[in-house]
Amino acid sequence: MKKTLIVIPTYNEIENLQKLVGEVFQNVDSHTHILIVDDNSPDGTGDLADMLSRSNERVHVLHRAKKLGLGTAYIAGFRYALDKGYDVVIEMDSDFSHDPKYLPIFQQEIEKADAVVGSRYIPGGGVVNWGLSRRIISQGGNVYARTILGIPFQDLTGGYNCWSRKVLEAIVPETLKSDGYAFQIEIKYRTHSLGFKIKEIPIIFEDRYLGQSKMSKKIVLEAMYRVLLMRLKGTDFHKTAAQV
Ligand SMILES: Nc1nc2c(ncn2[C@@H]2O[C@H](COP(=O)(O)OP(=O)(O)OP(=O)(O)O)[C@@H](O)[C@H]2O)c(=O)[nH]1
Ligand SMILES: [Mg+2]
């Protein structure tokens, strides 16, 4: 069985984290570990993560000094996974938008593909409890990115994904430049451009019911700008990855 690390970035998720960790472990086997990447959350999520880690050796924690953004949180998690010899990495939010019941499907599918992408926008997938404006931003962002980048996936911005070790080694996580939604687009674009096999699986995404959203206009604008840069500098991205 493959050694898997689930990377969960947290910022002020004290109401969600303990329950999430419990539900994750109900859905995976003993070869699967969790890494919580906490950015010194003012609400004490980092202390809770340490407590969970003390009581379960399959829970690991990375503490960062301050809120440094989702992109670099994933990079730190991916590097940890590569250094510690994990075969598979899953990225997942801590607010229950990403239902742990899908974890076994990711783990099955990664046996046959290099990457598995959780998709809201293929048959069987969807979004629950989102207002109209959030739906428009998300779907519009996906159409925009897909059209500009010319890649055949329906959900480019989603953050419930699974990567095999060889994809992360080829990408070299530190060379990913984006934050927020753009991070998800960039890693999928790079994986596709390097010729890896990506499988999309349907997921129902539920809006968070506890804790505060960190979504902002800035994250959306950054994503739009980054997509243009990726398109213009597409081949440079490959070179950077191959040269490092
Ligand atoms: N370590 C770290 N985690 C973050 C940061 N920003 C967000 N997160 C976490 O990343 C995940 C996704 O962030 P969310 O705030 O849920 O973003 P979203 O899903 O786009 O928006 P909402 O669900 O509406 O809040 C959650 O687990 C957050 O706690 C950050 O700067 N650092
Ligand atoms: Mg969320």
Side-chain angles (χ1 to χ4, degrees):
M1 189 65 191
K2 286 185 171 161
K3 223 180 132 192
T4 301
L5 186 68
I6 302 175
V7 177
I8 305 180
T10 55
Y11 192 75
N12 286 347
E13 299 286 1
I14 194 121
E15 297 135 296
N16 291 313
L17 186 61
Q18 185 160 12
K19 184 164 177 265
L20 181 75
V21 167
E23 287 196 20
V24 166
F25 282 142
Q26 280 167 21
N27 283 280
V28 297
D29 68 17
S30 62
H31 300 281
T32 303
H33 291 203
I34 290 176
L35 174 69
I36 299 158
V37 185
D38 185 71
D39 280 4
N40 205 2
S41 298
D43 72 352
T45 302
D47 298 331
L48 173 62
D50 283 337
M51 195 200 85
L52 296 170
S53 158
R54 277 196 298 273
S55 59
N56 188 329
E57 60 186 17
R58 284 158 60 206
V59 178
H60 312 277
V61 188
L62 270 184
H63 293 282
R64 305 197 305 166
K66 59 176 182 174
K67 190 172 190 313
L68 294 168
L70 207 41
T72 57
Y74 281 123
I75 290 171
F78 294 164
R79 178 49 57 199
Y80 181 100
L82 291 176
D83 289 349
K84 304 275 180 188
Y86 287 92
D87 306 305
V88 168
V89 180
I90 296 175
E91 29 163 336
M92 177 179 201
D93 291 355
S94 60
D95 59 359
F96 286 97
S97 288
H98 297 158
D99 194 324
K101 77 176 181 196
Y102 296 114
L103 289 168
I105 305 174
F106 280 103
Q107 294 190 304
Q108 269 162 30
E109 294 295 336
I110 199 70
E111 299 287 333
K112 296 171 270 171
D114 302 314
V116 184
V117 164
S119 182
R120 297 160 289 185
Y121 303 126
I122 58 174
V127 173
V128 175
N129 286 344
W130 259 8
L132 185 64
S133 66
R134 197 76 196 260
R135 280 172 196 269
I136 290 172
I137 291 172
S138 178
Q139 294 205 13
N142 273 291
V143 171
Y144 168 84
R146 199 166 60 235
T147 309
I148 291 192
L149 297 175
I151 46 178
F153 305 107
Q154 302 306 309
D155 195 337
L156 289 167
T157 53
Y160 198 7
N161 306 307
C162 180
W163 310 101
S164 64
R165 178 180 187 89
K166 68 177 175 185
V167 168
L168 296 180
E169 278 173 345
I171 282 179
V172 184
E174 291 76 7
T175 63
L176 292 164
K177 298 186 176 59
S178 316
D179 209 5
Y181 298 124
F183 180 87
Q184 308 299 351
I185 302 172
E186 187 182 0
I187 189 169
K188 286 169 197 166
Y189 181 52
R190 290 263 302 271
T191 304
H192 175 72
S193 306
L194 288 165
F196 286 111
K197 184 176 171 205
I198 305 182
K199 163 91 183 187
E200 272 189 299
I201 59 162
I203 58 156
I204 304 284
F205 177 101
E206 288 200 37
D207 197 13
R208 64 160 68 241
Y209 52 90
L210 287 174
Q212 279 246 305
S213 174
K214 285 118 217 157
M215 226 275 272
S216 69
K217 209 183 273 174
K218 182 171 157 255
I219 290 176
V220 175
L221 290 176
E222 190 229 349
M224 294 179 74
Y225 166 72
R226 279 278 164 201
V227 166
L228 277 182
L229 272 191
M230 279 177 232
R231 177 76 181 85
L232 295 172
K233 297 187 164 189
T235 47
D236 284 355
F237 275 106
H238 304 170
K239 276 195 213 127
T240 326
Q243 280 164 2
V244 175

